[in-house]
Amino acid sequence: METKQENIIRTDYAEVMQKSYIDYAMSVIISRALPDVRDGLKPVQRRTLYDMYELGIRYDRPYRKCARIVGDTMGKYHPHGDSSIYEALVVMAQDFKKGKTLVDGHGNFGSIEGDGAAAMRYTEARLEKLTQEVFLGDLDKDVVDFMPNFDETEKEPVVLPVRIPNILVNGADGIAVGMATSIPPHNLGEVIDAVKAYMKDSSISVKGLMRYIKGPDFPTGGIVVNKDELKNIYETGTGKIRLRGRVEVEKLKGGRQQLVITEIPYTMLGANIGKFLNDVAGLVETKKTTDIVDISNQSSKEGIRIVLELKKDTDVENLTNMLYKKTRLEDTFGVNMLAVADGRPETLSLKQIIEHHVDFLFEVTTRKYKTLLTKELEKKEIQEGLIKACDVIDLIIEILRGSKNREQVKKCLVEGITEGIRFKTRASEKAAGKLRFSERQANAILEMRLYKLIGLEIEALQAEYEETMKNISTYQDILDNYDSMAAVIMKELDDIKKEYNTKRRTSIENAQEAVYEEKKMEEMEVCFLMDRFGYMKLIDKTAYERNKEAAHGENKYIFTCMNTDKICIFTDTGKMHTIKIADIPLVRFRDKGTPADNLSNYDSTREQMIYVGPMAGVSRSSLMFVTESAMCKIVEGEEFDVAKRTIAATRMSEDDRLIFVGAADEMEQVVLQSRGGCFLRFLKNEIPTKKKSAVGVRGMKLAQGDVLEHAYLLEGHQEYAINYHDKQYSLNKVKLARRDTKGIKPRI
């Protein structure tokens, strides 16, 4: 019995991974995430539109269930999840996301406020007229290449013959591997004018094109406020567009006013509208503004309408500028005009996109008119044959009557072979031998009906022939002359603009940076309270004086501070978090506070507070740091006076933990206590002052497996007792020794 010989190929694992990852990355870039510069569509969009075209779901026919479209697309062309196909279909139908919708949706296709579309079994769709005529119109004329689908049972177009630069009109966004695209939508009429300008003068600059394309035209309207930066963005293909919502002031009775937001930045679409409303409410709650009385979202199908009711005598301009600064009413749209051009991803300028599209238009138009010319030449051949046949119709009838079969007639008409055919006269046979019709003409003659011999029909045939010759002349002229083809393309573009153009919605201008004067906070002294669970609050000093005993019984940290200061929170991970005191709510004594987690980067699940104090006090004193491994140092407090919300307060080894931070200025002695029950007392001046980035020095020699548990700072003559093994133990009784010694175990 023969045994199979194994063929083991040894390959470096790193090489296999590298090749596999590159293949995967290129697949995502080319076949999923990035649009083609020619039709501005990703594969999923192209396949969905082509499938709708194949299913005959035209703009003038009934809607069909989206589930049918999605299932058919998935089964024939796009072997991925149904959700990705349906999401692509939904986006193509949402007029608040696309400059021009490509799909006409019927049912719940989501809202501008972020509500999702209904399930595909409930919604219906059909092609828009624009899509059918401008995107799919000439697919039957061999204008683009077709390729096999994933299982080679169907053919799908490599690209759609789109006659407008869809990548500019509808924009694009997509995240690939290591790259992303973000192209804003533009106005259809302006883009068509720019394409025509380029066709008339291919040396036109980006600045010249911008005479036609003023800037992006977002479906949500709004105002682009950095007009001067657009030229650089269009030249490089990257940059940031600054967008603002449109704000109007409406006067109410009694001299009051209200701000009405009628257009939002494109970036605020969806859940960000709710976030904007929360941000405005937050400004009111934190008393950043006291001018807003009420907020209401009165948006409907008619459009956006967010109303802010104002107090009397509000400085409207200052408040509007505050909204631009503190909320997403002013936002940036990151532009990265990345697309697949000639089979590879490329960041393109405005002119390059138009260049690629015009080249594609000429290619599509050339293929279209070559197909049309071929058809007309075939028609001409047949018409010439029929006209010639009408002149010798008696002879042809004689051949038909004298022949035994169709093949005999065809041979006579094409090659003049008369063998086996009975003719009335020798002259007829001689004439038949001279016939030389083409194969196509012979078939047309054999299929010709008798009514075609009526005089009027013969005249109509003659007229058709003249029309065909005229068409051939026109098509040849279009194919042979650049100007003729350009004129045809420009006429088509003019027709598209005339039917589908809409007014610009986004204003383009240069606006001043939003500047608002923050109302100065009235400086006052408050009392800070924090309980052992990390809940903190501010109360009036008078409220503190009235409830002093209860305050000290219920809270871990208590101190007075100015409301303009910050709170410093040092944790066992060696971090320092800061919180503006102005952000902490000023409440009644019995009100519950706010967790530190809500107002800072502090995470109570991962770190533990070991010292809390006001920045004013911390920065004016020196702090002693002690870690679990007995590393000690003193750091000048001014090092912690920083603007950042979180910093590394000290440097430690990975497995170490901070156990003590304390103000050391007034103190003279240090006592360290280990988990094993060893105590060491030494003078504070033995600990050197170092930078916060230093590790420090060893304070105590620890036995193997032992760690420090507590550290204490003592004044020179202060009696300091702790509870040790359920008994009071005075730390002053610990024998004064030197730093970096073993310490003693007390006898109790």
Side-chain angles (χ1 to χ4, degrees):
M1 186 175 156
E2 247 181 71
T3 55
K4 269 191 178 178
Q5 192 177 353
E6 286 187 345
N7 185 19
I8 298 170
I9 300 167
R10 294 189 178 276
T11 316
D12 187 354
Y13 187 68
E15 277 181 32
V16 174
M17 288 301 292
Q18 187 178 6
K19 185 181 181 303
S20 300
Y21 190 76
I22 288 169
D23 289 347
Y24 160 72
M26 287 309 292
S27 169
V28 171
I29 290 163
I30 305 297
S31 308
R32 203 181 304 180
L34 300 186
D36 192 299
V37 71
R38 294 170 293 176
D39 62 5
L41 298 170
K42 296 181 193 178
V44 64
Q45 296 169 323
R46 187 180 303 119
R47 287 164 173 169
T48 305
L49 295 177
Y50 179 66
D51 186 74
M52 292 174 77
Y53 170 82
E54 282 287 279
L55 289 172
I57 312 172
R58 311 295 162 89
Y59 77 94
D60 52 356
R61 293 186 190 171
Y63 294 94
R64 296 278 283 278
K65 284 283 183 192
C66 290
R68 170 69 200 276
I69 297 164
V70 170
D72 205 61
T73 304
M74 185 165 58
K76 284 184 183 175
Y77 310 114
H78 199 69
H80 300 282
D82 57 354
S83 60
S84 64
I85 300 169
Y86 186 50
E87 280 166 24
L89 182 70
V90 166
V91 169
M92 288 192 287
Q94 291 177 326
D95 58 2
F96 49 86
K97 279 191 183 171
K98 292 288 178 188
K100 286 286 176 188
T101 53
L102 305 181
V103 171
D104 178 8
H106 184 243
N108 175 13
F109 274 78
S111 76
I112 197 168
E113 293 181 34
D115 303 310
M120 62 179 123
R121 61 183 177 273
Y122 302 121
T123 55
E124 297 176 332
R126 64 185 178 191
L127 290 171
E128 287 278 12
K129 190 181 180 191
L130 168 83
T131 317
Q132 191 175 311
E133 294 183 350
V134 179
F135 283 61
L136 301 155
D138 292 325
L139 267 178
D140 57 343
K141 296 183 180 71
D142 188 35
V143 288
V144 291
D145 293 331
F146 278 71
M147 63 181 180
N149 69 336
F150 62 92
D151 61 0
E152 299 192 358
T153 57
E154 303 275 345
K155 292 274 187 184
E156 60 174 302
V158 173
V159 64
L160 292 186
V162 181
R163 286 185 278 161
I164 55 171
N166 178 52
I167 201 163
L168 288 175
V169 173
N170 271 328
D173 62 276
I175 299 167
V177 178
M179 56 184 71
T181 185
S182 178
I183 303 171
H186 293 78
N187 183 271
L188 174 67
E190 291 180 8
V191 170
I192 286 173
D193 289 343
V195 170
K196 285 167 61 187
Y198 172 79
M199 286 171 69
K200 288 172 186 171
D201 176 15
S202 61
S203 64
I204 191 170
S205 64
V206 168
K207 191 177 178 182
L209 290 170
M210 286 182 68
R211 284 203 292 271
Y212 306 95
I213 298 176
K214 309 296 182 192
D217 187 22
F218 295 100
T220 53
I223 307 161
V224 170
V225 294
N226 58 335
K227 182 180 178 181
D228 288 346
E229 292 172 34
L230 292 179
K231 180 174 173 283
N232 186 53
I233 291 170
Y234 284 136
E235 281 175 346
T236 60
T238 58
K240 287 184 178 177
I241 292 169
R242 272 180 37 235
L243 271 169
R244 282 182 187 171
R246 198 175 294 280
V247 181
E248 294 174 3
V249 181
E250 290 182 1
K251 292 188 177 178
L252 303 173
K253 289 177 183 176
R256 286 172 57 228
Q257 295 175 314
Q258 61 184 22
L259 281 184
V260 181
I261 297 156
T262 55
E263 292 174 12
I264 57 170
Y266 189 62
T267 49
M268 205 199 274
L269 278 177
N272 286 325
I273 294 178
K275 189 176 183 306
F276 167 74
L277 295 170
N278 287 337
D279 288 345
V280 175
L283 292 174
V284 176
E285 282 173 19
T286 56
K287 295 192 169 56
K288 288 279 190 322
T289 178
T290 55
D291 294 327
I292 299 171
V293 176
D294 187 38
I295 314 160
S296 59
N297 186 1
Q298 299 172 13
S299 305
S300 63
K301 283 182 181 178
E302 277 65 54
I304 291 288
R305 183 177 167 85
I306 298 169
V307 179
L308 309 179
E309 285 185 38
L310 310 178
K311 281 183 181 174
K312 207 172 179 181
D313 303 323
T314 296
D315 184 344
V316 174
E317 189 180 343
N318 195 46
L319 180 63
T320 306
N321 285 342
M322 181 192 196
L323 294 174
Y324 287 146
K325 272 282 188 189
K326 297 284 186 183
T327 71
R328 295 191 76 162
L329 193 59
E330 181 178 314
D331 207 354
T332 55
F333 180 95
V335 176
N336 188 23
M337 301 207 291
L338 184 74
V340 177
D342 300 323
R344 55 193 291 270
E346 197 177 333
T347 302
L348 303 162
S349 68
L350 178 66
K351 185 177 177 181
Q352 284 173 311
I353 288 174
I354 290 173
E355 273 174 2
H356 278 289
H357 184 73
V358 169
D359 290 346
F360 179 59
L361 274 181
F362 272 91
E363 183 193 331
V364 165
T365 309
T366 301
R367 288 180 67 159
K368 174 184 173 180
Y369 282 99
K370 274 184 179 173
T371 303
L372 290 174
L373 180 61
T374 303
K375 283 182 181 175
E376 290 298 312
L377 288 170
E378 286 173 8
K379 236 176 12 175
K380 170 182 174 261
E381 187 184 336
I382 290 167
Q383 287 165 347
E384 283 176 346
L386 292 175
I387 290 166
K388 187 179 166 186
C390 287
D391 292 341
V392 289
I393 195 65
D394 294 336
L395 177 61
I396 290 169
I397 290 167
E398 196 174 328
I399 293 165
L400 287 165
R401 294 184 72 180
S403 300
K404 290 172 185 170
N405 54 47
R406 182 188 171 105
E407 201 57 42
Q408 213 173 26
V409 177
K410 199 170 173 184
K411 276 186 178 178
C412 181
L413 292 174
V414 175
E415 299 169 35
I417 298 169
T418 57
E419 282 176 31
I421 301 173
R422 287 181 290 104
F423 289 94
K424 289 179 182 177
T425 64
R426 180 77 184 146
S428 295
E429 188 175 352
K430 197 175 178 183
K434 291 177 183 176
L435 293 175
R436 291 292 184 275
F437 288 100
S438 70
E439 188 94 13
R440 198 178 275 118
Q441 287 172 337
N443 285 331
I445 290 164
L446 288 168
E447 286 164 12
M448 186 174 70
R449 297 185 179 184
L450 283 173
Y451 80 86
K452 287 282 184 186
L453 299 172
I454 300 166
L456 287 173
E457 286 293 327
I458 294 168
E459 282 177 27
L461 179 64
Q462 198 76 39
E464 276 177 32
Y465 177 67
E466 284 169 16
E467 184 66 30
T468 301
M469 292 305 290
K470 197 173 162 188
N471 287 344
I472 289 169
S473 173
T474 304
Y475 298 160
Q476 280 178 332
D477 178 52
I478 290 167
L479 289 166
D480 295 341
N481 296 309
Y482 173 89
D483 290 342
S484 300
M485 189 176 283
V488 167
I489 292 170
M490 283 196 233
K491 186 184 182 305
E492 284 181 351
L493 290 172
D494 283 335
D495 292 343
I496 293 166
K497 181 183 173 182
K498 188 177 178 182
E499 183 160 1
Y500 301 108
N501 190 30
T502 48
K503 277 186 178 178
R504 165 172 277 281
R505 288 166 283 201
T506 302
S507 305
I508 311 288
E509 58 186 61
N510 281 316
Q512 294 292 321
E513 183 80 25
V515 178
Y516 83 99
E517 291 176 17
E518 234 174 309
K519 289 180 182 175
K520 285 189 177 178
M521 192 185 293
E522 191 182 332
E523 200 169 347
M524 60 183 279
E525 197 172 21
V526 289
C527 185
F528 172 86
L529 306 177
M530 181 189 277
D531 64 18
R532 60 195 177 90
F533 301 109
Y535 280 78
M536 53 192 183
K537 60 190 174 187
L538 301 176
I539 60 170
D540 287 331
K541 277 189 78 179
T542 51
Y544 166 67
E545 294 297 337
R546 284 199 307 271
N547 301 279
K548 206 171 204 178
E549 195 175 326
H552 283 270
E554 296 167 10
N555 294 285
K556 189 175 179 181
Y557 296 103
I558 302 171
F559 49 79
T560 56
C561 53
M562 300 307 292
N563 61 349
T564 52
D565 200 5
K566 289 180 185 176
I567 297 294
C568 300
I569 299 172
F570 292 86
T571 71
D572 62 341
T573 58
K575 291 178 182 173
M576 181 190 83
H577 305 288
T578 60
I579 301 171
K580 286 182 180 177
I581 290 175
D583 292 340
I584 303 169
L586 182 67
V587 294
R588 294 191 297 264
F589 177 71
R590 283 292 161 203
D591 286 350
K592 195 173 182 181
T594 302
D597 306 51
N598 291 7
L599 298 176
S600 68
N601 296 329
Y602 169 70
D603 184 352
S604 58
T605 61
R606 296 185 182 188
E607 48 190 339
Q608 187 181 334
M609 291 184 202
I610 52 174
Y611 180 74
V612 179
M615 178 68 83
V618 167
S619 62
R620 283 200 296 266
S621 63
S622 55
L623 300 180
M624 185 177 87
F625 287 77
V626 183
T627 74
E628 207 170 46
S629 65
M631 300 307 289
C632 309
K633 67 177 174 188
I634 290 173
V635 182
E636 293 296 341
E638 60 192 27
E639 283 203 50
F640 303 103
D641 193 356
V642 291
K644 285 185 178 178
R645 293 183 71 193
T646 299
I647 62 163
T650 187
R651 189 176 165 197
M652 303 183 294
S653 58
E654 272 186 36
D655 54 348
D656 206 357
R657 188 174 70 91
L658 199 61
I659 62 157
F660 178 84
V661 177
D665 281 354
E666 305 297 322
M667 304 301 172
E668 292 178 13
Q669 296 173 8
V670 178
V671 178
L672 304 179
Q673 177 190 347
S674 79
R675 193 173 290 165
C678 285
F679 286 81
L680 176 66
R681 182 163 69 105
F682 58 89
L683 294 173
K684 183 197 81 175
N685 57 20
E686 288 190 52
I687 300 176
T689 300
K690 291 187 172 285
K691 294 286 182 188
K692 69 174 187 285
S693 56
V695 175
V697 295
R698 190 165 64 178
M700 181 178 181
K701 281 183 182 173
L702 295 166
Q704 194 170 1
D706 200 6
V707 291
L708 276 195
E709 200 166 49
H710 297 291
Y712 307 94
L713 278 167
L714 298 136
E715 288 181 32
H717 306 290
Q718 179 194 25
E719 186 71 27
Y720 196 101
I722 62 166
N723 189 15
Y724 183 67
H725 290 314
D726 297 327
K727 291 183 181 178
Q728 288 288 305
Y729 177 61
S730 175
L731 295 178
N732 304 76
K733 289 179 181 177
V734 179
K735 185 182 174 184
L736 191 65
R738 304 282 298 173
R739 179 182 65 77
D740 200 19
T741 53
K742 285 185 178 180
I744 59 163
K745 285 192 177 184
R747 292 176 185 174
I748 298 178

